[in-house]
Amino acid sequence: MSSPPARGNGGEKKIRHSFVPEVAVKPARLKDAPALLDIQRKAFEALLKKYQDSNTNPAMESLETLTRKIQQKDYWFILESGRVVGFAGIRHWESTCRVSPIGLLPECQGQGIGHKAMELLEAQYPEVKRWELDTILQEPGLCRFYESLGYRPTGEVHLIKQGMCTVDYEKIR
């Protein structure tokens, strides 16, 4: 939905989009593990159904495992207009960060929230020169999403199971 066109100096029409998501990121704490797990399960449920990758899919993770991971790396909530709509895990060492996992509630995907959240997350680590992540090779929309943020495939592909591979991505700044 857009508002009426605005007129520029030369009388040309400029279209203003009325919906720009108000996205923020907020650190998650150990006490937030149950809420993180709930979002994680919802975010990855469709991929779990599609690929049946119960040994690797974050939707199958236990609260105990997630609690351990929160103690080992940074976890963030992704908020849209103040409402928690996603999460991200980031492992940080020296001048490198690895994003794993990251997910949005299904009803919030495709609205620009993930794009803005990734930019905000990267801004939390200004000293980082190299970003890493992986995604499912058979999901071209996911690959395009990360590529639109400047991530490039490294050439490393990992077979998870028949019909499912992950591909490694990196972004050097």
Side-chain angles (χ1 to χ4, degrees):
M1 181 180 257
S2 62
S3 58
R7 300 273 181 197
N9 290 342
E12 70 277 7
K13 293 180 180 181
K14 293 184 181 178
I15 304 296
R16 288 192 195 133
H17 296 284
S18 62
F19 178 74
V20 176
E22 292 181 33
V23 179
V25 293
K26 178 178 96 171
R29 305 288 179 233
L30 194 55
K31 67 178 179 62
D32 297 319
L36 281 169
L37 187 59
D38 182 56
I39 296 166
Q40 183 170 296
R41 287 181 173 159
K42 290 174 182 172
F44 284 91
E45 182 179 27
L47 291 172
L48 176 62
K49 285 181 181 175
K50 181 174 182 177
Y51 293 102
Q52 299 293 306
D53 58 322
S54 54
N55 292 332
T56 57
N57 191 297
M60 295 301 293
E61 200 163 76
S62 69
L63 182 59
E64 179 182 306
T65 300
L66 181 58
T67 299
R68 182 176 36 80
K69 287 181 176 182
I70 292 171
Q71 295 171 7
Q72 298 170 347
K73 60 184 170 181
D74 301 336
Y75 270 81
W76 297 84
F77 284 116
I78 299 169
L79 299 99
E80 192 271 320
S81 299
R83 180 176 78 104
V84 175
V85 297
F87 75 100
I90 298 184
R91 190 171 140 236
H92 180 212
W93 68 99
E94 297 174 13
S95 62
T96 302
C97 276
R98 179 163 187 82
V99 181
S100 178
I102 184 167
L104 285 177
L105 295 174
E107 64 270 20
C108 298
Q109 296 171 9
Q111 299 176 26
I113 297 168
H115 196 278
K116 182 64 177 174
M118 286 290 290
E119 291 173 345
L120 292 169
L121 289 165
E122 290 174 5
Q124 298 298 315
Y125 303 88
E127 74 286 1
V128 169
K129 303 293 182 221
R130 182 171 191 239
W131 285 83
E132 302 174 344
L133 56 83
D134 63 58
T135 195
I136 301 170
L137 181 63
Q138 289 79 10
E139 294 293 322
L142 290 175
C143 295
R144 278 192 306 273
F145 169 73
Y146 293 117
E147 291 168 9
S148 77
L149 288 158
Y151 287 81
R152 297 293 169 246
T154 66
E156 293 288 322
V157 176
H158 310 275
L159 178 66
I160 302 300
K161 60 180 287 184
Q162 183 67 34
M164 182 187 183
C165 298
T166 59
V167 58
D168 292 345
Y169 277 84
E170 71 178 354
K171 179 178 183 176
I172 308 294
R173 21 179 210 185

